[in-house]
Amino acid sequence: MTTAFYTHADCKRHEMGSWHPECPERLQAIEDQLIASRIDSLIDYREAPPADESELARVHTADAIYRIRENCPTAESEYTYFPLDADTSLNAYSWRAALRAAGAAVAATDAVIAGELDNAFCSVRPPGHHATPSEAMGFCLFNNVAIAAKHAMDVHGLKKVAIVDFDVHHGNGTEAAFIGDPRVLMVSFFQHPFYPFSGTGHPAANMVNVPVPAHSYGETVRQVVIDQWLPALHEHQPEMIFISAGFDAHREDDMAQMGLVEADYAWITQKIMEVAKTYAKGRIVSCLEGGYNLSALGRSVVAHIKVLAELE
């Protein structure tokens, strides 16, 4: 398997204050753990290009794009922030970072569809799955996975794709982007009740939203995958799968109260791989979402990438 790892230094320059859990150190923790696990030489490192605004516009309104582009503080005031909501802010580098994050997802999609790669992991920030077409929120500026999925369909002509979201929070932005679109199946689990307090009210037919209570462990989530995700994915028969890869359901992550471990993320990834090989020529693009305990995040991403690259 050829698995690429897309990232860019600009993604480490976006930050929202020293107190903020969605911090640049997250990406460094992943890179450090890849080296410690001795798999860094076995994956294809690629620099994320910036997305074009026309690519953002496949998902986001002109006003949503304008608010990010025009409200970043100037470089001369790099330690000041422009607040978008109570926990989402812009600094001088946020626009550049957001373009790289979305650009990684688009470039990975192009390379996987072209057959250059079997799959890819985008180690990028800011994350994306809370960003709705009209609003940045929940640490997210642009919806990287949604942009990539739209690119696959609009540019490459794919007829059906799937989005798998295993972040501990509901991907409300992704749901808003594709609700009712029969070309896109979204499957997810998420802690409930919990931010953003969505995903449970009569979802559309193409949304398999599975709320689980706090203190749920791996066996609960694995049963969700077996009973609800896999039947829907097999029925949909996607031509490509996109993953919103959040690792904040890990038992060491105090952002939430769930109990997954690295083996659970590896198992979920393996099940997604099996579906992708059956219907989608193995094509997967995975993008980092949450995960705030640095050690758990790094270890979990390594477990995820090892399965993608078939290293164990």
Side-chain angles (χ1 to χ4, degrees), residues 7 11-12 24-31 123-125 288:
T7 193
C11 293
K12 296 179 183 176
E25 290 78 12
R26 298 177 67 229
L27 300 190
Q28 191 61 54
I30 291 169
E31 292 168 20
S123 186
V124 294
R125 48 181 300 279
L288 180 66

Side-chain angles (χ1 to χ4, degrees), residues 101-124:
V106 170
T109 299
D110 287 338
V112 169
I113 291 177
E116 295 174 29
L117 304 168
D118 294 295
N119 52 54
F121 179 77
C122 300
S123 186
V124 294

Side-chain angles (χ1 to χ4, degrees), residues 77-112:
S77 57
E78 60 180 312
Y79 298 110
T80 61
Y81 307 96
F82 180 88
L84 296 169
D85 64 22
D87 55 19
T88 311
S89 299
L90 305 174
N91 79 340
Y93 303 98
S94 298
W95 172 250
R96 287 161 51 182
L99 291 182
R100 296 287 185 182
V106 170
T109 299
D110 287 338
V112 169

Side-chain angles (χ1 to χ4, degrees), residues 52-62 65 142 147 150:
D52 187 82
E53 285 193 41
S54 64
E55 293 165 339
L56 306 179
R58 291 196 178 98
V59 170
H60 296 284
T61 65
I65 296 168
F142 299 124
I147 290 165
K150 284 283 285 186

Side-chain angles (χ1 to χ4, degrees), residues 223-243:
Q223 205 61 50
V224 166
V225 173
I226 292 169
D227 293 343
Q228 300 191 56
W229 285 15
L230 292 179
L233 288 165
H234 283 296
E235 182 178 358
H236 189 63
Q237 300 184 15
E239 298 171 281
M240 189 165 183
I241 297 178
F242 297 88
I243 303 176

Side-chain angles (χ1 to χ4, degrees), residues 251-272:
R251 67 182 179 189
E252 295 173 22
D253 198 313
D254 61 8
M255 180 66 75
Q257 297 84 39
M258 286 187 63
L260 271 63
V261 295
E262 296 93 306
D264 297 312
Y265 291 115
W267 184 89
I268 294 169
T269 307
Q270 184 62 52
K271 295 303 177 186
I272 298 168

